[in-house]
Amino acid sequence: MGGSKSSSKTKNVNTNVSGQNAIQGDNLGVAISGVNNSTINATVTDHGAVDRSFEFAEESLAAVRDTSKDAMQVQAIQNSESMQMLQGLAGSQAEQNAKNIKALKELAETKRDQENGGSASEQKTYLWIVALSVVGMSAVTFFAVRGTK
């Protein structure tokens, strides 16, 4: 009978893993530590948010620019209409002022004529009567003298 045979084998594998992460500030992303003999696929995406934010900013600026342009055009039109209206009012006022001055002048002449003994038309009538009387008397005298010869 034979003997027994036994064998044993021991294998010790020690893996020292030291994983440290030291992230400071505004570092946004993925930090992986302490992984051995692995394949890690990390995909980080903003799903187009950054590109879209730039597009949004451009669209917003364009909208503000267009709004400002439209507002300035409306203001320019309103200013033009206001100036035309003021010009019309000024013309009407000037015409009315001229009429008022003429009326005041006529009123002053009437007042002066009344203070001097009558109106201008009455004075002209009186002068015509005197002139015609002188001419008439001269004619009568002329014919009277001529007729006596």
Side-chain angles (χ1 to χ4, degrees):
M1 282 206 42
S4 74
K5 189 177 173 189
S6 123
S7 103
S8 118
K9 187 177 181 185
T10 303
K11 183 179 180 184
N12 289 329
V13 177
N14 292 324
T15 304
N16 291 328
V17 176
S18 173
Q20 294 180 353
N21 262 341
I23 299 175
Q24 295 179 350
D26 290 336
N27 293 322
L28 300 175
V30 176
I32 301 173
S33 67
V35 178
N36 286 328
N37 298 324
S38 297
T39 301
I40 298 174
N41 294 323
T43 303
V44 179
T45 182
D46 64 359
H47 300 284
V50 172
D51 290 337
R52 182 61 188 124
S53 66
F54 285 123
E55 290 172 11
F56 179 73
E58 288 176 12
E59 291 169 3
S60 297
L61 289 174
V64 170
R65 180 191 66 230
D66 292 343
T67 300
S68 297
K69 182 180 174 183
D70 292 344
M72 287 189 302
Q73 287 176 343
V74 167
Q75 189 64 38
I77 290 169
Q78 289 176 344
N79 285 346
S80 175
E81 290 174 355
S82 295
M83 292 302 287
Q84 289 174 356
M85 187 165 148
L86 285 172
Q87 188 177 25
L89 289 173
S92 297
Q93 188 62 46
E95 183 180 337
Q96 185 61 44
N97 288 347
K99 288 179 182 178
N100 290 345
I101 290 171
K102 182 179 178 184
L104 285 172
K105 182 180 174 186
E106 291 172 358
L107 182 63
E109 287 176 358
T110 302
K111 175 89 169 133
R112 184 192 68 213
D113 290 343
Q114 288 175 351
E115 289 174 355
N116 292 335
S119 69
S121 61
E122 290 175 349
Q123 288 180 353
K124 288 178 184 176
T125 304
Y126 177 74
L127 289 174
W128 276 105
I129 291 172
V130 169
L132 290 174
S133 297
V134 170
V135 170
M137 293 298 284
S138 298
V140 168
T141 305
F142 175 74
F143 287 117
V145 172
R146 188 171 177 203
T148 58
K149 283 185 178 182

